Amino acid sequence: METRDMLWSGWGDPARATPLPEPTVALLRDLLGVRPAGAAPVALRDVGVPANRLSQDDLDALAATVGAAHVRTGAESRVRHTRGRSTSDLLRIRTGETSDAPDAVVLPATHDEVLALLRTCTARRIAVVPYGGGTSVVGALTPRGASLRGVGSGGFIALDLRRMNALVALDETSRTAVLEPGLRGPAVEALLAGRGYTLGHFPQSFEWASVGGFAAARSSGQASAGYGRFDDMVVGLTVATPEGTLDLGRAPKSGAGPDLRQLVLGSEGAFGVITSVTVRVHPVPEARAYEGWRFVSFDRGAAALRGLAQDGPLPAVLRLSDEAETMAGLADPEAIGSSADAGCLAVLGFEGTAAEVAGRRAAVAETLAGAGGEPLGSGPGDRWEHGRFDAPYLRDALLDAGAFVETLETATFWSDVPRLYEAVRCALIGALAGAGTPPLVMCHISHVYPSGASLYFTVVSAQGTDPVEHWAKAKHAACDAIIEAAGTISHHHGVGTDHRDWYGQEIGPLGGAVLRAVKDRLDPAGILNPGVLVPGE
Amino acid sequence: METRDMLWSGWGDPARATPLPEPTVALLRDLLGVRPAGAAPVALRDVGVPANRLSQDDLDALAATVGAAHVRTGAESRVRHTRGRSTSDLLRIRTGETSDAPDAVVLPATHDEVLALLRTCTARRIAVVPYGGGTSVVGALTPRGASLRGVGSGGFIALDLRRMNALVALDETSRTAVLEPGLRGPAVEALLAGRGYTLGHFPQSFEWASVGGFAAARSSGQASAGYGRFDDMVVGLTVATPEGTLDLGRAPKSGAGPDLRQLVLGSEGAFGVITSVTVRVHPVPEARAYEGWRFVSFDRGAAALRGLAQDGPLPAVLRLSDEAETMAGLADPEAIGSSADAGCLAVLGFEGTAAEVAGRRAAVAETLAGAGGEPLGSGPGDRWEHGRFDAPYLRDALLDAGAFVETLETATFWSDVPRLYEAVRCALIGALAGAGTPPLVMCHISHVYPSGASLYFTVVSAQGTDPVEHWAKAKHAACDAIIEAAGTISHHHGVGTDHRDWYGQEIGPLGGAVLRAVKDRLDPAGILNPGVLVPGE
């Protein structure tokens, strides 16, 4: 299966660019003062890259490990592997700013080739950024110069895992599959569907993100209520590190020592390169059904979701938009102007046998009706399902239209959800209004647990004169608010370089020191993703 | 709530000693050649302890941190904190052998006192064994002399957490409770029941083991199918280490970095002392029901359990005895000689509202009947429930009767369960028969997951001339077989000193090096439980 390249300056497949719904354009203009953008993005052929910091000898050594055909130094490869897909990343790459480009893109095909690459890069002190789908929104693909500890030249490679894209094994008795890290979401589902199975992991980045990235960034998908987070799905991992191989997971669960799988999950390439992942799989469900519900307020809706999370039954998909997001129609654009735009929209999805879906829908409906919910039928659910991976395309359209848009997310325990919600909203509105670009701040609960939930914020404003700088300040304020309000700095986007300082506050200096000790043991030369994840590097 | 002392030379409350069922005695005599034991155990008042290796200055320093009343050096305290509750531990203590006695028992009352103790012990290089219920069966309370790296005198203290026994907080919205580590199982349930909640954690050691031990040893209870393992229940942890405090868990789940909670869970006191645990709690179920099912073979029964684990619905309790265990009546003593002793007995338990219990029982019954199960009604289930915490008492009776009895457990993925089962059985039978004490080896599946299950073995034989030595060789063979057959060295008993070498094989040299790096960072003087858990110390 060929792995396609994403649009270099935005999201996904250029042919699938989604125009803004007219009500959204009107809202942006009237509410936020959004004005058409100025200069169009530059063309790829006009984008240059910095001089290569690797020597010919370095490049020859890399070629000796993977073959010369799999070491790419051309401008297009380097540009395509520059940074990730945060809005600030996009705004910078659209202007042709490629200062964070890797010096080479290296494509190993096996675990042993990855091991050899890491040995070579350790010996030559070349930094290595493991690269899956390139969809990071937290700066996890931009090693920090000041942090290139002991990496003499400042050069780094993108270690692109796309050639490692096999379904290695399927154990139908244990219902597990061994996946290589370069497989992207649709390829995983296609390979498993051919055998009658599904993984059930559908993050918004599903169409482009990779298995290795899901594991390294502790991803969580839209059907997490039914299938769990990606870290719940993983039962085994193989990791190539500069010091050798970690092979983890002899049983679903074990009482033998700490769960080292959970130390690798979320390690964001700072400890090693994940070269295979063993995951739980499920028979392809016979039936799927989506539906919408309305609640008079976000608090009432959240209480209803909490009831489902704590006492069941749970749908596979469960999300609740706040009043602002419901009004803006992000979850259900066609409902704008209808009666369904009042209050807060919840979207539910059910999967299983036809009888399971029917039974569960009925039980959930009873709970939600008892909690004050009003059923809206399948329309809002089907529309959400149809557009579930389109939001990143919408962002490109907004940027084209002169708006700024970005997202951030957090999680906490249920009793702290209202405080965290208010704290983040106030921080974002205060910072951006103060900068002259008053925003629309929208939120939804995207993942629920018995003891808490995640909050996913979308911020839209005019771009103003310097949107990157405006956002940096607003994001800083939001991160401070999250830590102050006892939230986690990220529920599923990860730490990267963007969240690292707040992550250090979250786990404390001793927690950071533990991560440092692990990194120093596995990557003594500090070549792996320097500046990412580990606080205080 | 006063914390009682356990019988110093056996299990639990002496008043609850359980005599052997007559059929079992006959079986032991006829099948295994068990002969009455020789000398009776010595009396507690006649048991001596080694000379104290701590100086008066050491003891004064300890007293300065917790108060003189909470530093105990009397023989009885030291004997009562000697080793854990493995059969070999009991056989040795019954003879008055106390070479592993701590030099002092120290009882801190607060997190800050624990921190102060660890600083004092670091400065004086006194080893520290965190002590909860004292129920370890893997040698986790016996620091190894050769490993007392840098601990000059060889002296060590038992850091007994029984004074830290409060329900600190109950968050009814998030359904979480903050528990101190010295709380034992019944105290947790009593405190929560007073507020209408249950933790749902019922390991066989429930009546004596502590919350800190549940967390440090990654415990799993009999109702794990319904409530999860203890590591599933934990959402937050506070840990006192020689280098300071770790305070972990801002949300049920997070995408921010590795899950450091899962590095502390299972750390067995080698990284720090757990001083509080935040756990999920549940409303006390309105109804409970237990029942038995019979399967013609262990394989057929295992396949039925796998069906429930993979496709649901799951009872709260789900276990399946093999033919030997069913025949011996360990799960249902009263059924011996009845028709129910043929084949394999499964015990199921259901909890919830009356309607939930009824609905789930019916759905499970349909699945099990379809998988060839025969319903035995509530009798076997109720008898199992009545005696669910009695097996350790039964062990004392067996030892008194001249038999040897011990247990060990493992887990793997479903497709490897038959191979692991046979490998361990063969290893145990081969080793003990070869030593002249042919055993009865029984097994049950005690915990199920969608991708695998645990196997819990019980071994009974004549004691022979040197039961400790006989067992050491058989256990060695069983551990080799587990590793060879791709099982984990322990599903819920832990690593301790007994499993450490095989644990090192399980996680590999690099996995062991990671644990060593973490330990060195948190406990640079190596005072915490030396020789426990971390391979190659």
Side-chain angles (χ1 to χ4, degrees):
Chain A
M1 195 172 299
E2 192 193 357
T3 303
R4 292 177 305 156
D5 280 321
M6 200 188 307
L7 174 64
W8 71 281
S9 59
W11 187 258
D13 178 356
R16 281 180 55 198
T18 303
L20 287 189
E22 183 49 39
T24 307
V25 173
L27 199 72
L28 293 172
R29 184 183 57 237
D30 299 346
L31 276 186
L32 305 178
V34 169
R35 297 285 169 269
V42 296
L44 176 56
R45 65 177 176 277
D46 296 330
V47 177
V49 285
N52 203 312
R53 291 161 291 192
L54 301 179
S55 67
Q56 191 57 49
D57 195 52
D58 288 333
L59 295 170
D60 291 345
L62 295 171
T65 64
V66 296
H70 305 300
V71 177
R72 300 182 184 167
T73 55
E76 180 173 336
S77 279
R78 294 177 62 194
V79 171
R80 287 188 179 279
H81 289 79
T82 300
R83 308 190 190 94
R85 288 298 183 272
S86 74
T87 298
S88 297
D89 289 343
L90 297 186
L91 288 169
R92 294 171 74 192
I93 201 74
R94 285 158 71 108
T95 68
E97 205 281 82
T98 58
S99 60
D100 291 319
D103 297 274
V105 179
V106 183
L107 300 97
T110 65
H111 174 84
D112 286 345
E113 285 189 3
V114 175
L115 279 179
L117 266 177
L118 296 180
R119 281 194 299 266
T120 296
C121 290
T122 294
R124 292 171 176 272
R125 310 187 92 64
I126 300 167
V128 175
V129 176
Y131 191 99
T135 60
S136 171
V137 291
V138 294
L141 303 171
T142 49
R144 283 290 163 243
S147 309
L148 292 176
R149 192 169 46 88
V151 184
S153 69
F156 77 94
I157 64 168
L159 193 160
D160 188 321
L161 291 150
R162 71 177 64 193
R163 291 175 67 211
M164 297 179 68
N165 62 355
L167 167 61
V168 178
L170 176 67
D171 175 348
E172 298 194 72
T173 302
S174 307
R175 289 203 186 155
T176 59
V178 181
L179 306 175
E180 284 192 326
L183 280 169
R184 294 186 182 173
V188 172
E189 290 296 334
L191 288 167
L192 290 176
R195 305 284 295 272
Y197 290 89
T198 179
L199 174 61
H201 187 63
F202 302 104
Q204 198 169 66
S205 59
F206 166 77
E207 296 178 305
W208 297 91
S210 69
V211 164
F214 295 152
R218 204 173 265 280
S219 172
S220 191
Q222 293 166 350
S224 66
Y227 292 94
R229 303 165 54 87
F230 196 74
D231 38 295
D232 297 326
M233 300 176 183
V234 174
V235 295
L237 289 158
T238 308
V239 189
T241 83
E243 293 288 292
T245 297
L246 283 172
D247 194 1
L248 304 171
R250 286 180 156 240
K253 295 279 185 174
S254 168
D259 191 343
L260 293 176
R261 296 172 297 201
Q262 298 292 333
L263 190 64
V264 171
L265 295 163
S267 62
E268 300 190 5
F271 295 165
V273 179
I274 296 165
T275 57
S276 92
V277 182
T278 306
V279 290
R280 292 171 47 198
V281 297
H282 308 264
V284 172
E286 172 187 312
R288 289 193 171 94
Y290 300 90
E291 64 186 31
W293 284 74
R294 177 166 55 201
F295 291 89
V296 295
S297 72
F298 193 52
D299 283 350
R300 293 286 295 275
L305 266 60
R306 177 163 64 86
L308 293 177
Q310 292 181 338
D311 297 318
L314 268 177
V317 173
L318 183 58
R319 44 190 291 130
L320 172 75
S321 294
D322 72 354
E323 292 85 349
E325 188 172 292
T326 301
M327 185 187 70
L330 280 201
D332 184 16
E334 295 190 22
I336 291 183
S338 78
S339 67
D341 69 347
C344 291
L345 174 65
V347 170
L348 284 65
F350 299 86
E351 305 195 353
T353 66
E356 282 167 355
V357 167
R360 196 162 283 222
R361 277 183 90 163
V364 167
E366 191 180 329
T367 299
L368 294 188
E374 176 195 347
L376 301 177
S378 60
D382 289 341
R383 287 192 290 275
W384 171 82
E385 198 280 331
H386 180 73
R388 64 194 294 187
F389 305 125
D390 289 349
Y393 290 104
L394 183 61
R395 176 175 58 169
D396 286 345
L398 284 161
L399 294 178
D400 288 341
F404 179 91
V405 57
E406 185 53 297
T407 64
L408 59 85
E409 34 78 75
T410 177
T412 192
F413 296 102
W414 283 112
S415 54
D416 288 324
V417 164
R419 177 164 73 111
L420 181 61
Y421 173 76
E422 279 307 312
V424 175
R425 270 178 56 82
C426 289
L428 288 167
I429 293 170
L432 285 166
T437 54
L440 175 63
V441 177
M442 300 166 282
C443 182
H444 64 261
I445 290 176
S446 56
H447 305 265
V448 297
Y449 305 94
S451 60
S454 71
L455 293 173
Y456 188 99
F457 294 89
T458 302
V459 184
V460 184
S461 72
Q463 287 191 3
T465 49
D466 187 346
V468 171
E469 182 60 22
H470 278 192
W471 177 247
K473 287 182 180 160
K475 178 72 186 272
H476 195 293
C479 290
D480 284 349
I482 285 171
I483 294 300
E484 172 69 24
T488 177
I489 198 62
S490 171
H491 172 265
H492 57 274
H493 283 171
V495 175
T497 51
D498 292 355
H499 291 153
R500 200 181 58 151
D501 293 345
W502 291 276
Y503 179 54
Q505 295 177 52
E506 177 170 338
I507 62 172
L510 198 55
V514 167
L515 294 183
R516 165 60 49 204
V518 172
K519 180 169 174 68
D520 286 348
R521 184 62 187 80
L522 296 175
D523 175 27
I527 62 164
L528 279 165
N529 239 358
V532 166
L533 182 70
V534 183
E537 188 171 31
Chain B
M1 195 174 297
E2 191 193 357
T3 303
R4 292 175 306 155
D5 281 319
M6 200 188 305
L7 173 64
W8 69 281
S9 58
W11 186 260
D13 179 354
R16 281 180 55 199
T18 303
L20 288 189
E22 182 49 37
T24 306
V25 173
L27 200 73
L28 294 172
R29 186 183 55 233
D30 300 344
L31 275 187
L32 305 178
V34 169
R35 298 286 168 269
V42 298
L44 176 55
R45 65 178 175 278
D46 296 330
V47 177
V49 285
N52 203 312
R53 290 162 293 191
L54 300 179
S55 67
Q56 190 58 47
D57 194 53
D58 288 333
L59 295 171
D60 290 345
L62 296 171
T65 64
V66 296
H70 305 300
V71 178
R72 300 180 185 169
T73 55
E76 180 173 337
S77 278
R78 293 178 62 193
V79 171
R80 286 187 180 280
H81 289 79
T82 299
R83 308 190 191 94
R85 287 299 184 273
S86 73
T87 298
S88 298
D89 289 343
L90 297 187
L91 288 169
R92 293 170 76 191
I93 201 76
R94 286 158 71 108
T95 69
E97 205 281 81
T98 58
S99 59
D100 290 319
D103 296 275
V105 179
V106 183
L107 301 97
T110 65
H111 174 84
D112 287 346
E113 284 189 2
V114 175
L115 278 179
L117 266 176
L118 295 179
R119 281 193 299 266
T120 297
C121 290
T122 294
R124 293 171 177 271
R125 310 185 92 66
I126 300 167
V128 175
V129 176
Y131 192 100
T135 61
S136 172
V137 292
V138 293
L141 302 172
T142 50
R144 284 289 163 244
S147 308
L148 292 177
R149 194 170 44 89
V151 183
S153 69
F156 77 94
I157 65 168
L159 194 160
D160 188 321
L161 291 149
R162 72 178 62 192
R163 291 174 68 210
M164 297 179 67
N165 61 356
L167 167 61
V168 177
L170 175 68
D171 175 347
E172 298 193 73
T173 301
S174 307
R175 291 204 186 156
T176 59
V178 181
L179 306 174
E180 284 191 326
L183 280 169
R184 295 185 182 173
V188 172
E189 290 297 334
L191 288 166
L192 290 176
R195 305 284 294 273
Y197 291 89
T198 179
L199 174 60
H201 186 64
F202 302 105
Q204 197 170 66
S205 60
F206 166 76
E207 297 178 304
W208 297 91
S210 69
V211 164
F214 295 152
R218 204 174 263 280
S219 173
S220 189
Q222 294 167 348
S224 65
Y227 292 95
R229 302 165 54 87
F230 196 73
D231 39 294
D232 296 326
M233 301 175 183
V234 173
V235 295
L237 288 157
T238 308
V239 190
T241 83
E243 293 287 292
T245 297
L246 283 172
D247 194 2
L248 303 170
R250 284 177 158 243
K253 295 280 184 174
S254 168
D259 190 342
L260 293 176
R261 297 172 295 201
Q262 298 292 333
L263 191 62
V264 171
L265 294 163
S267 63
E268 300 190 3
F271 295 166
V273 179
I274 296 164
T275 57
S276 91
V277 182
T278 305
V279 290
R280 293 169 48 199
V281 296
H282 308 265
V284 172
E286 174 186 311
R288 287 193 173 96
Y290 300 91
E291 64 186 32
W293 285 74
R294 178 167 52 202
F295 292 89
V296 294
S297 72
F298 193 51
D299 284 350
R300 292 285 295 275
L305 266 61
R306 177 164 63 85
L308 294 176
Q310 291 180 339
D311 297 317
L314 268 178
V317 173
L318 183 58
R319 46 190 289 130
L320 172 75
S321 295
D322 71 355
E323 291 84 349
E325 187 172 292
T326 301
M327 184 188 69
L330 279 199
D332 184 15
E334 294 189 21
I336 291 184
S338 78
S339 68
D341 68 348
C344 292
L345 174 66
V347 169
L348 284 67
F350 298 86
E351 305 195 352
T353 64
E356 283 165 355
V357 167
R360 195 161 282 221
R361 279 183 88 165
V364 167
E366 191 180 330
T367 299
L368 294 190
E374 176 196 344
L376 301 177
S378 59
D382 288 342
R383 287 192 290 275
W384 172 83
E385 198 280 330
H386 180 72
R388 65 195 293 187
F389 304 126
D390 289 348
Y393 289 105
L394 183 61
R395 177 175 56 169
D396 285 345
L398 284 162
L399 295 179
D400 288 340
F404 179 90
V405 57
E406 184 54 297
T407 64
L408 60 84
E409 34 79 75
T410 177
T412 191
F413 297 102
W414 283 113
S415 55
D416 288 325
V417 164
R419 178 164 72 110
L420 181 61
Y421 173 75
E422 279 307 312
V424 176
R425 270 177 57 82
C426 289
L428 289 168
I429 293 170
L432 286 166
T437 54
L440 175 64
V441 177
M442 301 165 282
C443 182
H444 63 262
I445 291 177
S446 57
H447 304 265
V448 297
Y449 306 93
S451 60
S454 71
L455 292 172
Y456 188 99
F457 294 89
T458 302
V459 183
V460 184
S461 72
Q463 286 191 2
T465 48
D466 188 346
V468 171
E469 183 58 22
H470 278 191
W471 177 246
K473 286 182 180 160
K475 177 72 186 273
H476 195 294
C479 290
D480 283 349
I482 286 171
I483 293 300
E484 171 70 22
T488 175
I489 197 61
S490 172
H491 173 266
H492 58 273
H493 284 170
V495 175
T497 51
D498 293 356
H499 291 154
R500 201 182 58 151
D501 292 345
W502 292 275
Y503 179 54
Q505 296 177 52
E506 177 170 337
I507 63 174
L510 198 55
V514 167
L515 294 183
R516 164 62 47 206
V518 172
K519 180 168 175 68
D520 285 349
R521 184 60 187 81
L522 296 175
D523 175 27
I527 62 164
L528 278 165
N529 238 359
V532 166
L533 182 70
V534 183
E537 188 172 27

